[in-house]
Amino acid sequence: MSAGFQRARRPEQVEARRTAILAAARELLAQRPVADISLRELSCRVGLAKSNVLRYFDSREAVFLEVLEGEWTDWLDELERALGDPAPPEPGFAREERVARTIAATLDRRRLLCELISSMAPVLERNISLEFARGFKRSAAANTERLGALVRTRVPELSAGAARHFALGVVVLVSGAWPYANPTDAVAVAAAELGGVPEFAAGLAEGLTNLLAGLVARAR
């Protein structure tokens, strides 16, 4: 353990430890997938014993879910700027296609966010306490509501329920499309022999366009 890390007692010391742990998690995530990072490796990177890391976070998974929360919020800030001001309806579904492609393009630039979203339900939510789960789910619901509101402002035909459905659809599509578009080396070679691995941004944009256009068509 690093001699510089003594037990945190004051709130600012606790926050400093948590910030250091999250920074170490981000460094490791830049090198390998979340599934390949152990609590031991994370604790060694930050200079703490595993038991000390668990003083500040419920589990390894809780650390990565907090990284996800920060990434999600940052992405929504970027998306709001990228979407620009609301525009009037256009022929066909050109407006819906533009919104969907903007969402896909901004997500494509955020590898870490997509990696964590795709690991959220099958991996990261499997080893957290009820208290942490409640807090994380409240935050995730707020982010989903914000995404739905951003889309509804640009596509006002959507009801609040339809906008929420679309926002949840973004999460579901990313969860499936990201690992499919980023296979292991062996699977990538096999897929290349059969036509290649699907491109993430293009496939996501197509799926989101179809979902959004379908919701608008139903609303009309």
Side-chain angles (χ1 to χ4, degrees):
M1 184 193 310
S2 170
F5 277 101
Q6 299 177 359
R7 184 171 180 180
R9 299 183 185 279
R10 297 193 300 273
E12 61 270 23
Q13 292 176 322
V14 172
E15 186 59 31
R17 301 299 186 274
R18 288 174 54 84
T19 298
I21 293 167
L22 291 172
R26 287 178 176 276
E27 291 174 3
L28 290 169
L29 286 165
Q31 301 167 8
R32 61 182 67 89
V34 63
D36 295 342
I37 303 172
S38 67
L39 179 59
R40 179 182 297 277
E41 185 176 14
L42 176 59
S43 62
C44 287
R45 175 63 65 99
V46 78
L48 291 172
K50 290 194 297 182
S51 59
N52 285 338
V53 171
L54 295 177
R55 291 181 184 275
Y56 306 107
F57 293 91
D58 275 4
S59 61
R60 178 194 80 102
E61 290 76 9
V63 175
F64 294 121
L65 285 173
E66 289 220 14
V67 174
L68 169 57
E69 283 190 42
E71 287 291 313
W72 204 336
T73 300
D74 289 346
W75 170 62
L76 288 171
D77 291 341
E78 177 190 357
L79 177 63
E80 185 168 10
R81 294 189 297 269
L83 286 172
D85 296 328
E90 301 174 41
F93 292 99
R95 179 191 53 180
E96 288 75 15
E97 181 177 7
R98 185 173 62 254
V99 170
R101 290 192 178 280
T102 300
I103 292 172
T106 54
L107 282 168
D108 188 47
R109 293 195 289 268
R110 290 181 170 269
R111 184 201 66 81
L112 177 54
L113 175 59
C114 295
E115 166 75 18
L116 291 172
I117 286 176
S118 68
S119 300
M120 180 173 64
V123 178
L124 298 179
E125 292 183 339
R126 301 294 179 178
N127 185 33
I128 54 176
S129 69
L130 175 59
E131 181 181 3
F132 185 89
R134 283 172 172 157
F136 175 73
K137 283 302 187 183
R138 282 194 295 268
S139 177
N143 285 328
T144 300
E145 287 294 327
R146 183 182 173 191
L147 175 56
L150 288 175
V151 173
R152 193 181 182 200
T153 298
R154 278 81 186 170
V155 188
E157 294 93 332
L158 295 179
S159 66
R164 187 180 304 111
H165 179 83
F166 176 78
L168 289 170
V170 172
V171 175
V172 171
L173 285 172
V174 170
S175 296
W178 180 258
Y180 196 68
N182 293 273
T184 63
D185 291 342
V187 173
V189 171
E193 295 170 354
L194 298 171
V197 175
E199 203 276 319
F200 173 73
L204 181 61
E206 183 69 14
L208 292 178
T209 298
N210 292 337
L211 176 58
L212 187 55
L215 289 168
V216 169
R218 290 182 66 180
R220 289 173 179 169

